[in-house]
Amino acid sequence: MTTDLNPRYSFETFVLGEPNRVAYNAARSVAESPGASYNPLFIFGPTGLGKTHLLMAIGNRAQSVSEGFSVEYLTVDEFLEAYQVATAMGQADSFRNRFEGVGLLLVDDIQFLAHRRPVQGELLRLLSGFQESGQQMVLTSDTPPADIEDMDERLLRKLDGGLVVDVAPPDREMRRQILEQRAEERGADFEAEVIEAVAAFEVGNVRELLGLLNRLAAFQAVSETPVTADAARAMLDWEVPAEEAVMPIETPRAAEVEDDPFDMTPLFIDMPETDEFADFLSDVSSTVEQQIEVWRERLAASILRWQPEGYRTARLEQAMQSDEVMAPIERLVGQFEADIGRLQEMQEAMREVAPERANDIAFFDPDRVAEAEHLVQKAVRELGALPGPSEAYSPGAFVESGANRVAVTAVGATVSDPGKRYNPLVFVGGPGVGKTHLLHVVGHGLATRDNFWVACMSTQQFLDELQQAIDDDRWDAFRARFGKVDALLIDDVQLLAGRRHSQEEFFYLFNRLLEAGKQVVLTCNVSPRDIEGLDERIVSRFEGGLVAQLDSPDRDLRRAVIIKRLEDLYGAAELDLVDYLAARPASSVRGVLGLVQRVLSAADARGVDPSGRLARELIEGAIPAREDGSRSIRTSGVTSAPGVIHSQDKVIWRWPDPVERIIEELV
Amino acid sequence: MSLVNFTTREITCKIVYYGPGRSGKTTNLQYIYGRVPEGRRGRMVSLATKTDRTLFFDFLPLELGQISGFTTRFQLYTVPGQVYYNATRKLVLQGADGVVFVADSQARQLDENIESLQNLQINLLDNGMDVRDLPVVYQYNKQDLPQDLILSKRELDDALNFRQRPSFQADALSGSGVFETLKGVSELVLRRLSEVSTA
Ligand SMILES: Nc1nc2c(ncn2[C@@H]2O[C@H](COP(=O)(O)OP(=O)(O)OP(=O)(O)O)[C@@H](O)[C@H]2O)c(=O)[nH]1
Ligand SMILES: [Mg+2]
């Protein structure tokens, strides 16, 4: 925020004359022993008389006198800006602190503090602090302190308590000296009387004087003969605007370089130096600086916008303090504001879930977005954890076969790519074919993903939760909780049949999850279309995913199930027993396991090993009359596969062999 | 190439002097070249015929040093004004950040000025640039010629400058107006810095 000292401004290059001798001497004495002689030193005088030159000369000298001595030069604009930013950010202290290590503070143009009481107060405080700790301050202004409008009385007294000196316009002698010095510096050779003639012009300040010299130099460079005093006077009297005061000059052209048409580096005689380039450079610099100022303002605007709302703006403040703009401003501010947007969303979510925690500091710090997200997740979980997949249905215990291969394949795809492949995934099948087990297998698979939240529950549990929310009048919380899961797995959705309100809530939730790309997996004991009293909207959405059929176990599956169970219990399975049991039809895995269980219990009761023989005796010895069996065929036909309808392309369906079914029912 | 590169902290302004043949584009660059201290300018590349007509283009790189932490460069180009070098003109225009349209103030050159201005618009369009978005300033050159031969600033503004862009009178041969023009276009170009959001 400060300006560098210009090394060209030294005491050596300062032209000394009667009009500025006092100021010059005071400046030197302050430069050589800062804090020890006049503190503060106040230099005033009209513009263009070298106040800034003196100020910087003090700084340069003080720095060369003692190495490492800290000097800061500020224009009042810079001072004001620093102050405004600091106070806008509620950090007036940091403003004061930043001058702590400064041995010499140079403040230019303090007339601009007129009418600015708060900053005047700040300057007063600063000044007192400086005096106490022996830090030197030098100030300049174009008027004496008392003439600066609306100045704090105490500040005036403070300034008067130091030394107040003025610089007056150069007298003729001084003008002559300045002209001579400058002419020499730039290698222009003027007759003494020309210098004298120019010095005679009553110009108000040094800058104007140098302007005259420039015009003269330009004129001299193009004239055949040296400029005379009369010519100089005549020329300087010209009251023509600079633009029209064009002097015709013969300029050598590129074309005059005859030999090589491709080497056209122009030849120029030394042109009169009229600093046009320097002028251009300073123009460009100030435009660029202004633009960077615009960036800073953009930062400041964003800081001022968000800070009062309680957001931490450290990121922008850092960018603002770095002298150089670090990143494309729009990107920087844009990211910052996007982070705030995210925080607001999180805070909103927290208000739904746990309003008392919605003002956590993390919701106000754009550098802690991840933390805010975490807080919300945590709160949602604490709200009453939704059940996950049950350990009772382990993935390893699920037996795959032709009867469930399609469903199993869909499970694989869903676990590796949730929300993307089959959504919803609906398992359909009669009782005991393993729908619930498979549902939990999906749950376990998904739960191994990082940061992935799986809710897995029965429709009854879902309905209970819903009822509870209605009773407690906490709909929002209910929705927030379910809306936050990454996958929702619900068993036996046929139980929704006939419950209009619950279906509505389910439908709402279901859509929300689907839209958000969250995975939904359901089971149903019949094809959704055949559930009476299930809203058509829901049915058609189910069918929009994948309805995967689980068939009654075939012989292979039965075999596998039996072997697995026997091996689990005994470490081995008797082949005869396996073959015999596997040959018996069953409409469900549960049925198969029931059969195994019967044999095992009998073996246990008799104190013998389970075997094919035992099984035969047990089962065939107990065969009821065939007629009973045929009666139950009809029953079975109705109960075990009531209209499991298959949409041709999505459902694979193999009707169990009727003969086997008959026998199964006899078991 | 973009005006500002935040990663390398560079500002690079490409400015193209455009206009009809013999309007004084090359003369502008030569004048600037003569005013820039040695260390600040690169070699001026100028490809011209013996009769001084630009054959390809003139190129003058200027190093302005560090400004607010950015290494700042200007690249000044002229195009060949003669009608049949249009391919070169189009090429030089690519990536221009600003254009100085150097018009010949002589009354009898008015049609050439207008034609060249139309040609500029077409070439910009062909390069996918929109003249409405591009910083353009006008320079009415050769104002040193006798009054009865030349058009005034107002007349030229009426004929050429219907978008009311900044315009400058100049006598490029003596240099008057040359830096004013350069400053004018630079200012327009640099003002865009705060609008530029992509690196
Ligand atoms: N009187 C007068 N003559 C000028 C001025 N500017 C350029 N000229 C002359 O006009 C002629 C053409 O100038 P150039 O700068 O070569 O023109 P150009 O625009 O580069 O032309 P092309 O390269 O053909 O496109 C030269 O003879 C210059 O000396 C001017 O302001 N006043
Ligand atoms: Mg040319």
Side-chain angles (χ1 to χ4, degrees):
Chain A
M1 221 153 257
T2 56
T3 309
D4 288 336
L5 292 178
N6 185 337
R8 273 189 23 225
Y9 292 139
S10 65
F11 285 118
E12 286 70 31
T13 55
F14 188 81
V15 178
L16 184 57
E18 278 322 306
N20 59 22
R21 189 174 305 279
V22 177
Y24 177 87
N25 287 337
R28 282 195 67 138
S29 126
V30 161
E32 267 144 31
S33 48
S37 45
Y38 318 110
N39 198 10
L41 173 63
F42 188 101
I43 307 172
F44 74 92
T47 178
L49 294 184
K51 294 192 299 293
T52 301
H53 189 142
L54 263 188
L55 207 54
M56 289 200 171
I58 296 175
N60 282 320
R61 172 64 57 93
Q63 258 170 348
S64 72
V65 165
S66 82
E67 205 172 317
F69 184 71
S70 158
V71 176
E72 212 170 315
Y73 170 93
L74 283 168
T75 64
V76 136
D77 278 349
E78 291 163 336
F79 186 82
L80 266 174
E81 186 193 312
Y83 173 74
Q84 275 162 355
V85 169
T87 47
M89 299 187 322
Q91 299 177 346
D93 281 348
S94 80
F95 176 73
R96 266 161 244 161
N97 296 340
R98 76 186 283 264
F99 296 109
E100 233 164 46
V102 176
L104 168 60
L105 180 64
L106 309 165
V107 189
D108 216 351
D109 288 329
I110 77 148
Q111 70 270 14
F112 293 121
L113 286 186
H115 304 292
R116 295 180 186 270
R117 288 290 180 143
V119 208
Q120 291 172 12
E122 192 56 44
L123 182 62
L124 177 65
R125 259 191 297 279
L126 199 60
L127 201 44
S128 308
F130 261 53
Q131 287 174 327
E132 273 164 33
S133 55
Q135 295 163 281
Q136 175 76 47
M137 202 184 296
V138 184
L139 310 112
T140 74
S141 159
D142 64 358
T143 59
D147 290 358
I148 303 176
E149 278 178 41
D150 191 21
M151 275 286 257
D152 188 316
E153 275 300 322
R154 293 164 302 163
L155 181 56
L156 285 181
R157 275 202 300 280
K158 195 51 112 194
L159 293 173
D160 283 336
L163 178 67
V164 177
V165 292
D166 78 319
V167 286
D171 55 15
R172 184 165 176 158
E173 169 53 22
M174 208 180 136
R175 293 201 290 271
R176 201 181 50 71
Q177 272 185 35
I178 292 173
L179 288 170
E180 271 168 1
Q181 184 183 324
R182 267 315 163 94
E184 196 189 310
E185 265 171 37
R186 63 191 314 170
D189 201 7
F190 293 109
E191 316 250 326
E193 64 204 49
V194 173
I195 297 276
E196 206 46 68
V198 178
F201 277 86
E202 290 273 345
V203 292
N205 65 51
V206 178
R207 234 175 259 141
E208 261 175 62
L209 188 66
L210 295 179
L212 293 184
L213 187 74
N214 282 343
R215 279 162 75 182
L216 210 59
F219 191 68
Q220 165 127 326
V222 297
S223 346
E224 303 283 296
T225 52
V227 182
T228 62
D230 277 347
R233 259 187 299 267
M235 199 191 83
L236 299 180
D237 261 345
W238 257 2
E239 284 295 354
V240 286
E243 207 170 318
E244 288 164 46
V246 166
M247 289 164 286
I249 304 169
E250 279 297 313
T251 313
R253 305 297 327 277
E256 285 170 15
V257 185
E258 286 290 333
D259 310 336
D260 178 6
F262 289 97
D263 181 16
M264 292 294 173
T265 305
L267 276 183
F268 277 91
I269 50 163
D270 259 348
M271 299 295 291
E273 169 152 0
T274 61
D275 271 353
E276 273 181 303
F277 179 76
D279 205 38
F280 165 69
L281 191 59
S282 90
D283 225 57
V284 166
S285 303
S286 84
T287 310
V288 170
E289 272 154 23
Q290 270 168 29
Q291 298 308 305
I292 286 170
E293 209 41 51
V294 171
W295 299 343
R296 291 235 166 85
E297 274 164 22
R298 178 83 181 84
L299 284 175
S302 190
I303 291 175
L304 291 180
R305 158 93 179 75
W306 296 110
Q307 207 170 44
E309 293 191 27
Y311 289 96
R312 199 161 157 264
T313 50
R315 200 190 305 166
L316 300 185
E317 283 158 41
Q318 264 161 24
M320 181 117 143
Q321 256 140 39
S322 82
D323 256 358
E324 301 166 352
V325 176
M326 301 303 288
I329 194 67
E330 286 307 328
R331 204 189 296 162
L332 186 75
V333 176
Q335 181 58 51
F336 180 81
E337 295 187 344
D339 286 344
I340 287 191
R342 182 81 188 123
L343 286 180
Q344 288 174 331
E345 271 172 35
M346 289 297 108
Q347 193 181 25
E348 197 48 46
M350 191 59 123
R351 282 205 188 98
E352 281 178 9
V353 182
E356 70 285 356
R357 270 184 275 170
N359 285 324
D360 191 286
I361 186 83
F363 294 113
F364 294 93
D365 188 347
D367 293 335
R368 286 163 72 183
V369 173
E371 201 180 322
E373 282 169 349
H374 185 75
L375 283 178
V376 171
Q377 265 184 9
K378 193 162 148 255
V380 167
R381 279 173 209 197
E382 282 169 10
L383 197 63
L386 292 172
S390 156
E391 292 308 324
Y393 298 101
S394 79
F398 190 83
V399 181
E400 218 181 300
S401 81
N404 56 31
R405 188 138 295 132
V406 171
V408 168
T409 309
V411 167
T414 303
V415 166
S416 63
D417 224 0
K420 305 248 163 53
R421 303 286 292 276
Y422 309 119
N423 209 8
L425 174 61
V426 186
F427 300 130
V428 171
V433 292
K435 302 184 298 292
T436 303
H437 195 152
L438 201 51
L439 186 76
H440 286 257
V441 169
V442 177
H444 287 299
L446 290 175
T448 61
R449 301 178 76 89
D450 277 348
N451 243 331
F452 198 91
W453 185 13
V454 184
C456 184
M457 64 181 71
S458 68
T459 298
Q460 194 52 54
Q461 278 172 298
F462 177 81
L463 293 172
D464 291 348
E465 292 272 354
L466 184 56
Q467 190 56 49
Q468 191 66 47
I470 296 170
D471 293 346
D472 297 352
D473 199 16
R474 293 203 64 179
W475 283 92
D476 285 348
F478 174 82
R479 290 184 174 180
R481 197 144 69 103
F482 276 86
K484 287 278 176 325
V485 300
D486 296 300
L488 179 62
L489 282 45
I490 298 189
D491 204 12
D492 290 324
V493 288
Q494 72 275 4
L495 295 177
L496 287 174
R499 298 165 179 272
R500 189 157 306 281
H501 287 303
S502 306
Q503 281 182 31
E504 242 163 59
E505 191 58 33
F506 176 83
F507 182 72
Y508 166 85
L509 177 63
F510 178 82
N511 271 339
R512 221 173 100 182
L513 292 175
L514 248 54
E515 268 163 31
K518 310 290 181 65
Q519 179 70 48
V520 176
V521 187
L522 308 164
T523 77
C524 188
N525 66 353
V526 293
S527 169
R529 190 147 293 286
D530 294 325
I531 304 174
E532 244 179 81
L534 187 62
D535 196 328
E536 173 60 30
R537 303 182 292 179
I538 296 184
V539 173
S540 81
R541 271 177 183 68
F542 284 179
E543 288 176 345
L546 175 71
V547 178
Q549 182 72 40
L550 279 82
D551 289 348
S552 297
D554 56 16
R555 196 187 182 105
D556 283 348
L557 179 54
R558 295 198 296 269
R559 233 185 114 75
V561 167
I562 294 160
I563 292 175
K564 190 156 185 37
R565 169 51 67 93
L566 291 175
E567 279 181 349
D568 281 355
L569 293 176
Y570 299 96
E574 194 215 35
L575 204 58
D576 184 37
L577 174 61
V578 171
D579 284 342
Y580 177 73
L581 290 178
R584 310 204 64 85
S587 67
S588 70
V589 173
R590 200 181 294 138
V592 176
L593 290 174
L595 200 58
V596 175
Q597 192 53 47
R598 257 180 83 186
V599 177
L600 295 184
S601 318
D604 211 30
R606 295 184 197 179
V608 297
D609 280 346
S611 67
R613 233 191 95 253
L614 175 64
R616 265 185 212 94
E617 188 195 314
L618 187 67
I619 292 164
E620 286 168 25
I623 295 173
R626 267 193 172 261
E627 295 77 41
D628 296 349
S630 59
R631 270 201 304 279
S632 55
I633 293 168
R634 276 184 303 258
T635 328
S636 162
V638 177
T639 54
S640 68
V644 180
I645 299 297
H646 16 266
S647 113
Q648 288 313 350
D649 39 348
K650 286 183 186 150
V651 177
I652 301 220
W653 171 256
R654 253 174 352 96
W655 195 256
D657 179 352
V659 178
E660 288 189 349
R661 295 168 60 78
I662 298 165
I663 299 169
E664 193 264 340
E665 285 305 313
L666 300 178
V667 173
Chain B
M1 181 177 46
S2 67
L3 180 56
V4 55
N5 183 329
F6 288 91
T7 324
T8 57
R9 304 171 150 285
E10 287 171 335
I11 296 174
T12 311
C13 296
K14 173 174 178 177
I15 291 173
V16 176
Y17 283 71
Y18 209 94
R22 303 197 66 77
S23 64
K25 301 175 290 296
T26 301
T27 311
N28 264 276
L29 254 61
Q30 285 171 333
Y31 183 83
I32 294 167
Y33 181 92
R35 292 307 158 116
V36 179
E38 196 95 40
R40 298 289 199 170
R41 62 185 189 207
R43 188 164 178 275
M44 174 159 167
V45 179
S46 192
L47 304 179
T49 64
K50 292 237 172 186
T51 57
D52 210 13
R53 311 299 304 267
T54 299
L55 203 54
F56 199 40
F57 58 78
D58 305 312
F59 171 64
L60 172 57
L62 304 180
E63 295 287 341
L64 305 194
Q66 292 273 324
I67 301 179
S68 297
F70 284 80
T71 305
T72 308
R73 316 200 154 83
F74 273 59
Q75 299 177 337
L76 310 184
Y77 286 81
T78 70
V79 297
Q82 293 180 82
V83 180
Y84 37 88
Y85 291 135
N86 196 45
T88 310
R89 277 196 293 276
K90 202 185 289 183
L91 197 72
V92 173
L93 265 186
Q94 275 177 15
D97 297 303
V99 168
V100 173
F101 186 83
V102 181
D104 191 327
S105 300
Q106 297 177 79
R108 61 185 176 84
Q109 294 294 321
L110 185 60
D111 287 347
E112 274 76 5
N113 288 329
I114 292 174
E115 200 181 318
S116 173
L117 193 58
Q118 284 166 348
N119 175 255
L120 169 64
Q121 301 194 358
I122 292 168
N123 282 338
L124 284 174
L125 271 183
D126 282 0
N127 278 331
M129 300 154 83
D130 190 337
V131 70
R132 284 168 302 184
D133 295 342
L134 189 71
V136 177
V137 304
Y138 290 82
Q139 182 186 75
Y140 305 137
N141 193 27
K142 307 198 184 176
Q143 287 283 323
D144 56 310
L145 295 175
Q147 291 298 321
D148 48 336
L149 292 184
I150 61 172
L151 300 177
S152 69
K153 177 165 150 63
R154 165 174 308 179
E155 285 165 323
L156 286 160
D157 269 338
D158 283 348
L160 305 172
N161 184 9
F162 28 83
R163 284 186 215 285
Q164 270 110 54
R165 299 294 179 78
S167 61
F168 304 88
Q169 286 166 284
D171 162 12
L173 214 44
S174 79
S176 130
V178 169
F179 269 96
E180 284 80 348
T181 310
L182 180 59
K183 280 191 209 167
V185 74
S186 308
E187 172 121 13
L188 286 191
V189 171
L190 292 172
R191 285 241 192 94
R192 308 202 126 189
L193 279 177
S194 58
E195 294 159 19
V196 178
S197 57
T198 49

